[in-house]
Amino acid sequence: FEVEPFSVEHKYQNMVDWDKCVDHVAGEDGECALSSCSAKEPVTVNAEPLLLDTKAKTQEVIWSYDVVFKPSPVRWSTRWDAYLNSSENAEVHWFSILNSFMVVIFLSGLVGLIMVHTLRKDFQRYERGEEGQEETGWKLVHGDVFRTPPRAAWLAVFIGTGVQLCVSAVILLVFACLGFLSPSNRGALMQATLFLFVFMGMFGGYTAARFFRMFKGTAWRANALWTAMLFPGTCFSVFFVVNLLIWGQKSSGAVPFTTLLAMLLMWLCISVPLVLAGAFFGYRMQPIEPPVRVNQIPRQVPNESALMGSGLRNILVGGILPFGAVFVEVFYVLSSIWLHQIYYLFGILFLVLVILLLTCSEVSIVMCYFQLCGEDYHWWWRSFFVPGSSALYLFVYAAHYFATRVHVAKASVLSAAVFFGYMSILSYAFFVVTGFVGFVSTFFFVKTIYGSIKAE
């Protein structure tokens, strides 16, 4: 669209009650008629401008607007290309993608070095039958690496939720890149996100049940209910509390009760049954079999590898690279959410998402390999927390963004509650998605390397 402003000294013949003319077309039913603006004679650049009287205490100023619809040869799916091509910040986005891509190449080289240089030598030694040599490093824990982790049911719940969120995000961005979702219509984006998450519940329930059975769990219905309830319930609770605070201030930004009820019904009547259906089919599939046998007696983990401080440090360090790969794009997304700017670079956002998933996978694999080389086989939860810790950096960055970029009329508890409430939901989702990607990548990595050795 194009806006062309004019200064017009509007004129009318009779007295007009302007309170009754609100939301009325000029001249409709013979009322609110302006002699200087009508359907037959629209305002042009030749209209007499309005001159302000600086000496008068009051002066009547009539505001009006005309809407003219003109056919355009631009296709609907490419209507935002003009803004993309004229964007002054496009170079910043591409530089960020190039920088993140270099990080991915470095991590890919490191993973390739581990797979080709280090592991291939071990595999060749096993193939030659050199069994007299003493096993060292990651090979020593082959009898414990697939031991069921503590709180395995909760891990299965997070894995199922991660599948649900990850598939929803990918499909949403694909539709946005194809032009089916308008960047200016924020409501359409939010509705598509909710619908996709609800209908992807079957994938979440199926995946959670598959891993739950591998962990030798029996109460699959309870596990499926936790998968359907934990993440949506937490997000809905935070959203409801924040909305109550907005209601208390009598703000027009509060979500109506009917909308909340519709969201609740979608969750309980559609998402939960789909998760249960997915879990029903997933639990009846053949369980995932580990490539090596699990020893009956757990192996003792060396003290230097079992230190909680070392594990926590590795987790925090591992989250830096995934967040570093996306933090530039995070700035523009936050500006779109909180500064009412239009975000239309969905193609770039999709590339950043791919880079984020690759970075999470490779960071988790590298950290897991070094952990196994230290004869520490407690890799299940750590492979989830290492990339998932990037959500902590996201929340800290959001706090910095609130302090430096978000300017409110007056510092209030409500403004901070709305901002940090919604950002906690976003960070929680970011934690689950990145953790899921890191865990699944590490799981297939561990299954591959231990499936290639001869272990008695």
Side-chain angles (χ1 to χ4, degrees):
F1 62 91
E2 182 180 355
V3 178
E4 190 174 2
F6 295 111
S7 175
V8 181
E9 184 178 3
H10 283 299
K11 300 177 181 178
Y12 49 92
Q13 297 178 352
N14 303 319
M15 297 298 295
V16 178
D17 186 355
W18 296 113
D19 293 333
K20 295 182 179 180
C21 293
V22 176
D23 297 331
H24 280 269
V25 179
E28 184 180 22
D29 298 331
E31 299 180 357
C32 310
L34 298 174
S35 58
S36 56
C37 176
S38 63
K40 296 181 180 180
E41 297 181 3
V43 175
T44 63
V45 69
N46 298 322
E48 182 180 353
L50 174 66
L51 300 178
L52 297 179
D53 188 357
T54 57
K55 297 182 180 180
K57 293 183 178 180
T58 59
Q59 184 176 357
E60 184 182 65
V61 178
I62 302 174
W63 297 87
S64 64
Y65 68 92
D66 297 335
V67 179
V68 179
F69 294 93
K70 296 181 180 180
S72 174
V74 180
R75 291 186 303 167
W76 178 259
S77 59
T78 61
R79 64 198 180 281
W80 291 95
D81 288 355
Y83 296 93
L84 175 60
N85 297 331
S86 63
S87 175
E88 299 178 356
N89 298 321
E91 295 181 358
V92 178
H93 292 276
W94 289 113
F95 178 77
S96 172
I97 289 177
L98 179 62
N99 182 45
S100 303
F101 189 67
M102 296 303 296
V103 174
V104 171
I105 293 178
F106 169 75
L107 291 174
S108 300
L110 191 58
V111 173
L113 181 64
I114 293 173
M115 296 293 292
V116 176
H117 180 71
T118 306
L119 296 178
R120 188 175 63 178
K121 289 184 177 180
D122 296 329
F123 295 154
Q124 290 175 351
R125 182 171 64 85
Y126 277 104
E127 291 175 358
R128 291 195 300 265
E130 300 176 8
E131 300 178 357
Q133 298 185 11
E134 183 180 358
E135 293 181 345
T136 57
W138 60 273
K139 299 176 290 297
L140 282 173
V141 296
H142 63 78
D144 298 275
V145 71
F146 286 99
R147 187 177 302 280
T148 301
R151 299 176 179 84
W154 291 110
L155 181 59
V157 169
F158 280 109
I159 295 170
T161 305
V163 171
Q164 196 171 350
L165 285 171
C166 196
V167 174
S168 302
V170 171
I171 296 177
L172 179 69
L173 285 180
V174 168
F175 275 93
C177 291
L178 294 177
F180 291 104
L181 299 174
S182 173
S184 61
N185 191 351
R186 299 171 184 266
L189 288 172
M190 184 57 63
Q191 290 176 6
T193 303
L194 290 176
F195 276 104
L196 284 172
F197 179 78
V198 166
F199 287 100
M200 294 302 111
M202 180 169 287
F203 295 97
Y206 178 85
T207 308
R210 293 278 285 163
F211 279 96
F212 184 68
R213 186 171 185 183
M214 187 188 71
F215 296 146
K216 297 179 175 57
T218 56
W220 66 271
R221 293 181 183 85
N223 188 260
L225 283 176
W226 277 113
T227 305
M229 294 288 186
L230 182 61
F231 178 81
T234 304
C235 295
F236 185 83
S237 300
V238 175
F239 180 78
F240 185 75
V241 170
V242 172
N243 201 58
L244 279 180
L245 296 176
I246 300 176
W247 266 343
Q249 295 293 325
K250 299 181 180 179
S251 172
S252 60
V255 177
F257 177 77
T258 54
T259 304
L260 290 176
L261 184 61
M263 293 170 58
L264 189 63
L265 292 176
M266 285 178 57
W267 171 29
L268 297 178
C269 300
I270 301 178
S271 180
V272 173
L274 286 177
V275 173
L276 289 172
F280 174 81
F281 292 106
Y283 194 77
R284 277 155 180 76
M285 297 290 291
Q286 289 295 326
I288 303 174
E289 295 292 341
V292 292
R293 187 180 58 186
V294 178
N295 295 335
Q296 294 183 356
I297 301 176
R299 180 185 178 87
Q300 185 177 1
V301 179
N303 293 331
E304 60 269 16
S305 298
L307 290 175
M308 184 59 188
S310 176
L312 181 60
R313 182 173 62 250
N314 293 336
I315 289 173
L316 294 177
V317 170
I320 295 177
L321 286 178
F323 175 74
V326 300
F327 84 96
V328 173
E329 213 61 32
V330 167
F331 170 81
Y332 291 100
V333 173
L334 292 181
S335 298
S336 172
I337 297 174
W338 300 108
L339 300 184
H340 304 288
Q341 298 181 6
I342 297 177
Y343 188 90
Y344 48 84
L345 303 175
F346 291 112
I348 292 180
L349 186 61
F350 183 78
L351 291 177
V352 171
L353 176 63
V354 173
I355 292 174
L356 172 65
L357 300 184
L358 291 175
T359 306
C360 292
S361 302
E362 294 170 347
V363 166
S364 185
I365 289 173
V366 171
M367 299 296 286
C368 175
Y369 173 76
F370 290 135
Q371 179 184 352
L372 294 176
C373 287
E375 302 178 17
D376 185 357
Y377 54 86
H378 299 299
W379 62 273
W380 299 90
W381 278 106
R382 189 175 297 185
S383 66
F384 193 97
F385 284 131
V386 165
S389 64
S390 57
L392 176 63
Y393 297 101
L394 174 63
F395 191 80
V396 173
Y397 179 76
H400 170 73
Y401 185 88
F402 179 79
T404 57
R405 293 283 180 174
V406 179
H407 303 288
V408 294
K410 58 179 181 179
S412 63
V413 177
L414 178 62
S415 301
V418 171
F419 182 88
F420 288 104
Y422 291 153
M423 287 309 304
S424 63
I425 295 176
L426 184 61
S427 300
Y428 184 22
F430 195 79
F431 164 75
V432 175
V433 170
T434 54
F436 156 73
V437 173
F439 170 82
V440 170
S441 304
T442 306
F443 174 76
F444 286 108
F445 169 78
V446 173
K447 189 177 179 182
T448 300
I449 63 174
Y450 283 97
S452 304
I453 66 174
K454 298 177 183 178
E456 298 295 336

